[in-house]
Amino acid sequence: MAVRLTWAQREQIVAQARAEAPNECCGMLLGRGDTVEEVFPGRNVDGTPRTRYELDPHDQLRAFRLMDERGWGLVAIYHSHPQTEPKPSKTDKVLAMYPDARYVIVSLRDPADPQVRAWRILEKTDGDGKPVVDEGGHAVKTELEEEVLVT
C-alpha cells in the first residue's frame, strides 16, 4: 500500500515542519483510500514538543467532522522529526492508536533534503495470532514501511 500525495501537499507538510522546528509538527491527512484530498495541519499540544507530539483534541474533532461531511477517511497521521531520521520512535509506536491509518514522518535531519516516509504501526502477534506483550503487559508494536507516492 501507499500514501498518495500531490507535490503541493508534500510541500505543505514540509513547510509546516520547517515553520514549527525545532518542535515537532503534527496533523492529519484526509481523503479516500490511499489518496490524500486534504492536509489538515494540527497544533502540537504536548508538554515536550521538541521530542513528542500530541495533536490538539479540538483539531482532531474538526478533522473528523470534515471527514464525515465530505465522506472521507483518515489516510494518515503525520508529524515531524526535526533532528532524527523519518522512522517511528519507541514513543511513536507506543502512542500509535489507529492501526488502519499510516503514520507519515517528515525528517528535517538534512534541512536541504527533507525526507517523507510512511509507516503502518501494528501490534505484534505470535504464531497463534495472540498479541505479544512486554514485561509490563503492554502490547509490543512493530512498524512496516509503505510507499509515499508524490504526483
Side-chain angles (χ1 to χ4, degrees), residues 21 24 26 40 51-53 59 64 66 74 81 110 118 123 127:
E24 292 190 4
C26 58
F40 193 94
T51 57
R52 294 176 61 153
Y53 76 97
D59 292 342
F64 280 107
L66 181 62
L74 176 60
H81 283 181
D110 178 357
E123 289 185 0

Side-chain angles (χ1 to χ4, degrees), residues 28-33 35-38 63-64 66-68 70-76:
M28 299 168 75
L29 302 177
L30 317 178
R32 292 181 174 88
T35 303
V36 175
E37 299 289 341
E38 186 164 329
F64 280 107
L66 181 62
M67 285 188 286
D68 287 346
R70 298 191 179 169
W72 293 343
L74 176 60
V75 177

Side-chain angles (χ1 to χ4, degrees), residues 87-123:
K87 186 174 180 182
S89 67
K90 182 178 179 181
T91 300
D92 291 339
K93 289 190 275 189
V94 167
L95 297 176
M97 300 297 164
Y98 294 91
D100 293 333
R102 268 80 66 163
Y103 290 83
V104 171
I105 302 174
V106 178
S107 172
L108 299 177
R109 182 173 54 178
D110 178 357
D113 184 26
Q115 295 180 358
V116 180
R117 292 171 63 186
W119 304 87
R120 191 168 301 270
I121 300 175
L122 305 166
E123 289 185 0

